[in-house]
Amino acid sequence: MKAQDLKMAKVISQNLHKHFDILKKKSEDNFKQERCKHCGQWMGNQYTQKWLANESNITYGTLVHYLQGKRIPSISTLKKLADVLNVSISDLLEGVK
Protein backbone atom coordinates (compact mmCIF):
# COMPACT_ATOMS: atom_id res chain seq x y z
CA MET A 1 0.00 0.00 0.00
CA LYS A 2 1.36 3.42 -0.94
CA ALA A 3 2.13 5.91 1.84
CA GLN A 4 -0.76 8.16 0.82
CA ASP A 5 -3.16 5.20 0.75
CA LEU A 6 -1.90 4.10 4.16
CA LYS A 7 -2.64 7.55 5.59
CA MET A 8 -6.13 7.46 4.09
CA ALA A 9 -6.76 3.99 5.52
CA LYS A 10 -5.66 5.16 8.99
CA VAL A 11 -7.94 8.21 8.89
CA ILE A 12 -10.92 6.13 7.78
CA SER A 13 -10.08 3.61 10.51
CA GLN A 14 -10.06 6.34 13.16
CA ASN A 15 -13.38 7.72 11.92
CA LEU A 16 -14.97 4.25 11.88
CA HIS A 17 -13.83 3.69 15.45
CA LYS A 18 -15.09 7.10 16.51
CA HIS A 19 -18.59 6.68 15.08
CA PHE A 20 -18.89 3.03 16.16
CA ASP A 21 -17.91 4.04 19.72
CA ILE A 22 -20.55 6.80 19.65
CA LEU A 23 -23.19 4.26 18.59
CA LYS A 24 -22.14 1.87 21.37
CA LYS A 25 -22.11 4.67 23.96
CA LYS A 26 -25.62 5.80 23.00
CA SER A 27 -26.78 2.21 23.37
CA GLU A 28 -25.12 1.86 26.77
CA ASP A 29 -26.68 5.11 27.98
CA ASN A 30 -30.14 3.92 26.94
CA PHE A 31 -29.60 0.29 27.85
CA LYS A 32 -30.99 -0.88 31.13
CA GLN A 33 -28.81 -3.49 32.73
CA GLU A 34 -31.01 -6.55 32.68
CA ARG A 35 -30.49 -10.20 33.38
CA CYS A 36 -31.59 -13.02 31.13
CA LYS A 37 -34.84 -14.54 32.37
CA HIS A 38 -33.52 -18.04 31.77
CA CYS A 39 -29.90 -18.09 32.88
CA GLY A 40 -29.44 -14.94 34.95
CA GLN A 41 -26.49 -13.60 32.93
CA TRP A 42 -26.22 -9.87 32.29
CA MET A 43 -27.46 -8.93 28.83
CA GLY A 44 -24.65 -7.31 26.87
CA ASN A 45 -24.57 -4.54 24.32
CA GLN A 46 -25.67 -5.79 20.90
CA TYR A 47 -23.30 -3.48 19.06
CA THR A 48 -20.21 -5.57 18.35
CA GLN A 49 -17.83 -5.60 15.43
CA LYS A 50 -19.49 -8.80 14.21
CA TRP A 51 -22.87 -7.03 14.34
CA LEU A 52 -21.47 -4.09 12.33
CA ALA A 53 -20.00 -6.43 9.72
CA ASN A 54 -23.24 -8.39 9.43
CA GLU A 55 -25.42 -5.28 9.17
CA SER A 56 -23.05 -3.79 6.56
CA ASN A 57 -23.07 -7.05 4.57
CA ILE A 58 -19.29 -7.45 4.71
CA THR A 59 -17.21 -10.17 6.30
CA TYR A 60 -15.90 -9.77 9.81
CA GLY A 61 -12.32 -10.16 8.55
CA THR A 62 -12.79 -7.37 6.03
CA LEU A 63 -14.21 -5.07 8.71
CA VAL A 64 -11.24 -5.83 10.95
CA HIS A 65 -8.87 -4.79 8.15
CA TYR A 66 -10.75 -1.50 7.78
CA LEU A 67 -10.66 -0.91 11.53
CA GLN A 68 -6.94 -1.67 11.64
CA GLY A 69 -6.28 0.72 8.76
CA LYS A 70 -4.89 -2.04 6.54
CA ARG A 71 -7.45 -1.68 3.74
CA ILE A 72 -9.47 1.13 2.22
CA PRO A 73 -13.19 0.43 1.82
CA SER A 74 -14.82 1.07 -1.54
CA ILE A 75 -17.36 3.87 -1.84
CA SER A 76 -20.21 1.34 -1.82
CA THR A 77 -18.86 -0.24 1.38
CA LEU A 78 -18.39 3.19 2.96
CA LYS A 79 -22.05 3.88 2.11
CA LYS A 80 -23.15 0.64 3.79
CA LEU A 81 -21.06 1.38 6.90
CA ALA A 82 -22.29 4.98 7.04
CA ASP A 83 -25.92 3.85 6.77
CA VAL A 84 -25.52 1.34 9.61
CA LEU A 85 -23.70 3.89 11.79
CA ASN A 86 -26.29 6.53 10.89
CA VAL A 87 -23.67 9.00 9.63
CA SER A 88 -22.75 10.38 6.22
CA ILE A 89 -19.91 9.14 4.04
CA SER A 90 -18.25 12.51 4.53
CA ASP A 91 -18.22 11.84 8.30
CA LEU A 92 -16.22 8.67 7.64
CA LEU A 93 -13.89 10.52 5.23
CA GLU A 94 -13.38 13.51 7.54
CA GLY A 95 -9.70 14.44 7.48
CA VAL A 96 -8.85 12.52 4.29
CA LYS A 97 -6.81 14.63 1.89
Side-chain angles (χ1 to χ4, degrees):
M1 189 180 288
K2 296 178 186 176
Q4 185 178 4
D5 291 343
L6 185 58
K7 288 179 186 177
M8 181 187 304
K10 291 291 183 188
V11 170
I12 292 171
S13 168
Q14 291 168 350
N15 290 335
L16 278 170
H17 277 287
K18 173 183 159 185
H19 291 290
F20 188 49
D21 288 345
I22 289 169
L23 179 69
K24 290 191 301 186
K25 179 69 174 140
K26 284 181 185 176
S27 173
E28 289 168 2
D29 290 346
N30 295 327
F31 185 71
K32 295 179 182 175
Q33 288 291 330
E34 296 180 10
R35 289 188 180 266
C36 175
K37 297 176 190 176
H38 304 286
C39 67
Q41 288 185 336
W42 288 106
M43 307 274 281
N45 190 327
Q46 73 173 2
Y47 298 114
T48 63
Q49 290 179 359
K50 287 185 180 181
W51 172 87
L52 180 59
N54 187 49
E55 291 295 309
S56 302
N57 200 27
I58 59 176
T59 67
Y60 174 71
T62 299
L63 176 66
V64 169
H65 281 124
Y66 297 150
L67 292 171
Q68 292 174 345
K70 293 182 178 178
R71 290 180 60 186
I72 300 171
S74 67
I75 294 296
S76 63
T77 301
L78 278 173
K79 173 74 172 123
K80 291 176 189 178
L81 289 164
D83 288 345
V84 172
L85 295 172
N86 199 27
V87 297
S88 67
I89 292 175
S90 61
D91 289 333
L92 297 180
L93 294 175
E94 183 180 350
V96 173
K97 296 180 181 179

